[in-house]
Amino acid sequence: MSNADRNPIPVKRDKPLAALTPRKPRIALVLGGGGLKGFAHIGVLRALAERGVEPAVFAGTSIGALIAAAHVAGVEIPEMEERARALRRRDLFRLNRLGMLLERTHAPSIYHDEPLRQVCAASVPDKRFDELDKTLLVNTVDLQRGSPVVWGLPGLRDVSVLDAVYASCALPGFYPPGDVGGRSCVDGGVVDNLPVSVASQGMDAVIAVDTGSSSIVTQRDIARHGFSAIYMRAATTMMHALQLGPLERWVGPPMILIRPNVAHIGWFSFTQTDELIEAGYRAGIDALEHMESCLSGEGGVFPRRQMRVSVDREKCIGCTLCVALAPQLMAMDESGKAVTRIPVVEWSPADGDFVHHCPTYAILAEPVEAAEGENQPEAMDVTSAEEGAERLKTG
């Protein structure tokens, strides 16, 4: 053996071997609640599979928890679609007539728990969280403590996945609370319908799918539609308001926020399953086009679009609500009418909620590309809301 064989010349490398191979990004997929609107999650899962996106963590609330658990258990997407199409009202709702008759206001719910438990058991593994091959987080609320409990986190893994998923789906008043590890738990949407903060820990990016609280569309004569419709309208409004803060002030890893167009569909519509799945698929495909820019960013919510904000002066009544909600973008002129400080802004799906709150629908926000060809003011500025706010502070 030659000296060269005994003492090979070392190869100089600028980086260790591990750094030469790019690390696969760790992505958390968070599926929100929303009743049967959550069937849109199935379409999003199909879009992720086609794009080869494999999340490291799956998290969910209510139906989002059910679909996430089914996916982790290995239920194939076509089978999920078939089960969703086959679901009927009688499979979920059976009135607790005897309980309401005998216990009246002391009855825990208006529906029995058995049908919902059977739906969960058909897709959810009969295992503990620490027996799963993938990380699953199920969001619930501990009724006694009045605080969220996310099963699957460290120290909260030695409980039944099925029990946790049922509890996460147990909408208060509709179904009895579920017992999970000795805790009386209900639907996690009571506090956080889209648990992105918990799921994002240690992740490089988050994909969040919001189906239940994404937007509030006008519903006329809601008071005439009975207890269920009024309750769900109030619940949707509450969830929407609770969700705004965490998303508008997001400081975690980059987030892709997917909001399928399902606001016009009822929480418990059994006749629009295919439309829901397709809406989720289309929204997923569109949002994933921005995956590269999301992963290369340092933070924020994606996708981002340039939006033109304007005010219809004839409709504006000068109530100042828009200024109170969005002082960095809106102001009042000398005549007491609302005006935009920054006509064109860059918004994510989490921005611009104040537009909806105008009592006379006087504020209009539309994508800039939708108005191509129009004459634009020479001084019009294109900037982000954050940059605009900073500019206003500095004059």
Side-chain angles (χ1 to χ4, degrees), residues 123-255:
S123 300
V124 176
D126 185 17
K127 295 181 178 181
R128 300 191 312 269
F129 284 86
D130 54 12
E131 296 175 322
L132 298 176
D133 296 329
K134 300 178 181 179
T135 299
L136 172 68
L137 305 177
V138 173
N139 187 34
T140 67
V141 168
D142 184 329
L143 272 182
Q144 294 181 342
R145 298 178 64 245
S147 62
V149 180
V150 181
W151 303 99
L153 290 174
L156 296 170
R157 295 174 177 166
D158 59 342
V159 298
S160 164
V161 174
L162 180 57
D163 288 346
V165 170
Y166 166 80
S168 188
C169 294
L171 190 64
F174 278 63
Y175 295 102
D179 183 279
V180 189
R183 299 172 184 259
S184 183
C185 296
V186 295
D187 190 336
V190 170
V191 172
D192 187 358
N193 200 45
L194 197 65
V196 288
S197 296
V198 173
S200 68
Q201 300 301 308
M203 297 292 107
D204 298 307
V206 177
I207 299 175
V209 189
D210 185 8
T211 58
S213 60
S214 58
S215 61
I216 306 292
V217 296
T218 301
Q219 290 188 10
R220 302 186 183 278
D221 300 324
I222 190 70
R224 300 181 182 179
H225 295 168
F227 160 79
S228 178
I230 295 171
Y231 180 92
M232 293 313 304
R233 181 65 171 178
T236 302
T237 304
M238 176 193 70
M239 291 176 183
H240 178 76
L242 287 172
Q243 205 66 68
L244 286 178
L247 293 178
E248 289 179 340
R249 298 186 297 272
W250 181 248
V251 294
M255 179 195 301

Side-chain angles (χ1 to χ4, degrees), residues 30-45 61-68 80 84 87 193 209-213 260 262-263 265-269 272-273 275-281:
V30 184
L31 307 180
L36 299 188
K37 293 184 182 186
F39 286 155
H41 294 319
I42 302 174
V44 173
L45 287 175
T61 297
S62 196
I63 191 170
L66 174 60
I67 291 177
M80 287 190 195
L87 192 68
N193 200 45
V209 189
D210 185 8
T211 58
S213 60
V262 297
I265 300 176
W267 277 55
F268 300 115
S269 173
Q272 294 167 284
T273 300
E275 181 181 351
L276 288 165
I277 295 173
E278 183 62 21
Y281 175 74

Side-chain angles (χ1 to χ4, degrees), residues 112-127:
H112 285 290
D113 62 338
E114 288 88 352
L116 177 58
R117 289 188 183 276
Q118 290 174 5
V119 169
C120 293
S123 300
V124 176
D126 185 17
K127 295 181 178 181

